[in-house]
Amino acid sequence: CASTPPFSRGYDKVKQQFLEKKLWEIHFVNEIEWKTNSGIAESNAFSEILEHVIMREDGNLTNSANVSSSSGENIGSSNNHINDGIVMFLTDDCLFLEPLAVVLSAAIGALSYGRLPATDGANSNIHNGTAVFNFLARLHPGISWSQTRNVASPAPRNQMKFLPLKPYFCNLAESSDKTNRNLADGVYLYERKFGNIEWDYPFDLSGGVYRHEDVIALLAHIKCEDCAENKRGHRSEQNGLFHPNTFEFRCNSSLA
């Protein structure tokens, strides 16, 4: 359905809004458009996108920032708080309850945690060197059920702590009231070991946001595993990347 005119117009509108705001440098990659414009085979579409936006065509890793890819619409954003940009994965059935700019600001703030100090010095003693690995847009303290498994999946409320994001964006937030409205107030942090089911699923293509460098590391790990297995005649070299579901599963297996 991502190829229908209403979806295409919606994607174009979002892209235009970010071009006008110029808050971040963002690159959009849509799998439907990619397949149409490149003429590649359906079976190779997802792996080709990952190779193009995360790696160079020769298969070597690249350090380029602001990249993205997914089975639907996928967004990459760069910010001074994060050394090589971020990658946001989205599918065409994702529904945002907040403007995308607010979601991205929350992701940028969350992924900045433990990497660089807040601009006003606040929260400097909270993280003790611990860095946030991901930002999952679909999680909320009110989430208590896993739809895919049809079982209870309560949030680890007793282990969650609220991180105000204003200290990370104080210079940007003070620039204008309009900009301030596009920034998230804060995010909830928790250690993965206290979560289960929905709260223990670190790599998610439905709204997951990650540092580009971490996605590169996961891709490299999967490719190395596949190369080793291919030499043994167990699986094809691209098996771990050929489909979004397989890629998501392999990333979570690598992070287990």
Side-chain angles (χ1 to χ4, degrees), residues 85-87 89 111 133-134 136 202-204 208-212 215:
I86 63 175
V87 180
F89 294 92
L111 294 174
F133 170 70
N134 60 8
L136 300 178
F203 198 86
D204 190 355
V209 189
Y210 308 88
R211 295 180 188 85
H212 178 217
V215 177

Side-chain angles (χ1 to χ4, degrees), residues 218-237:
L218 284 168
L219 283 173
H221 179 74
I222 292 173
K223 286 174 70 70
C224 285
E225 284 189 335
D226 284 350
C227 285
E229 290 298 310
N230 186 55
K231 290 179 180 179
R232 299 187 187 103
H234 294 165
R235 63 160 86 105
S236 65
E237 184 177 354

Side-chain angles (χ1 to χ4, degrees), residues 44 71 96 121 144 147 157 226 242:
N44 297 329
S71 57
F96 284 99
S144 60
Q147 181 182 11
R157 287 179 174 270
D226 284 350
F242 87 99

Side-chain angles (χ1 to χ4, degrees), residues 62-83:
T62 177
N63 290 321
S64 61
N66 317 320
V67 293
S68 56
S69 77
S70 95
S71 57
E73 185 77 0
N74 195 14
I75 302 165
S77 168
S78 79
N79 181 275
N80 290 334
H81 288 290
I82 302 169
N83 289 329

